């Protein structure tokens, strides 16, 4: 845990190195000091269609799924770290007109299942 899911508009993916984008998210999760590196999973989902109000904004929304039990302060800290890490990278690429957001969602520990084989 966590699962970091980056939902990106095509415009963002055109201007970014996807491996670097994922690494920045990974590094931000590590910097939160809430997880071990081997527990962090990051993936990108391309948004084929999107609409943000009546604007020309592109979008990067990151959902970070974590097991329940973290405090509000820990979740807020994680959200800020991921937002800062991704914002820094997107700024380096020269992108503008981006809607960047981070959502922390909790998964119920009692019902989460996983196997590695």
């Amino acid at each position: 845990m966590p699962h970091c899911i980056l939902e990106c508009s095509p415009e963002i993916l055109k201007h970014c190195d996807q491996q670097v984008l994922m690494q920045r998210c990974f590094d931000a999760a590590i910097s939160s000091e809430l997880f071990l590196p081997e527990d962090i999973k990051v993936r990108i989902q391309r948004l084929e269609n999107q609409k943000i109000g009546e604007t020309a904004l592109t979008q990067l929304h990151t959902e970070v799924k974590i097991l329940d039990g973290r405090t509000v302060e820990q979740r807020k800290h994680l959200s800020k770290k991921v937002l800062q890490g991704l914002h820094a990278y997107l700024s380096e690429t020269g992108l503008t007109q981006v809607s960047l957001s981070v959502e922390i969602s909790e998964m119920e520990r009692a019902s989460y299942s996983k196997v590695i084989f």
Side-chain angles (χ1 to χ4, degrees):
M1 223 31 72
H3 290 270
C4 303
I5 305 161
L6 288 75
E7 299 173 345
C8 299
S9 67
E11 185 68 20
I12 288 174
L13 295 177
K14 277 190 237 173
H15 287 88
C16 294
D17 180 318
Q18 292 181 39
Q19 293 301 315
V20 174
L21 186 61
M22 288 190 297
Q23 187 65 48
R24 292 294 181 94
C25 185
F26 183 89
D27 293 345
I30 289 173
S31 73
S32 74
E33 299 181 349
L34 297 173
F35 313 102
L36 297 173
E38 58 268 22
D39 295 330
I40 301 168
K41 297 129 189 113
V42 182
R43 60 186 174 269
I44 292 176
Q45 292 182 339
R46 182 184 179 98
L47 297 173
E48 290 302 326
N49 298 295
Q50 65 173 0
K51 181 162 177 58
I52 303 173
E54 302 263 341
T55 71
L57 293 173
T58 59
Q59 181 178 13
L60 170 52
H61 176 74
T62 302
E63 180 181 12
V64 182
K65 296 183 177 195
I66 62 174
L67 291 175
D68 59 7
R70 304 287 182 171
T71 66
V72 171
E73 292 79 20
Q74 288 172 316
R75 295 190 310 268
K76 187 175 181 180
H77 175 70
L78 175 59
S79 178
K80 285 185 177 183
K81 287 289 190 179
V82 172
L83 186 72
Q84 290 168 350
L86 295 174
H87 182 244
Y89 177 61
L90 293 177
S91 294
E92 290 170 17
T93 68
L95 277 167
T96 59
Q97 300 295 306
V98 176
S99 173
L100 176 60
S101 56
V102 177
E103 168 189 5
I104 308 299
S105 57
E106 292 185 297
M107 298 186 299
E108 182 183 67
R109 190 176 300 267
S111 63
Y112 178 75
S113 299
K114 171 176 120 173
V115 64
I116 297 175
F117 62 97

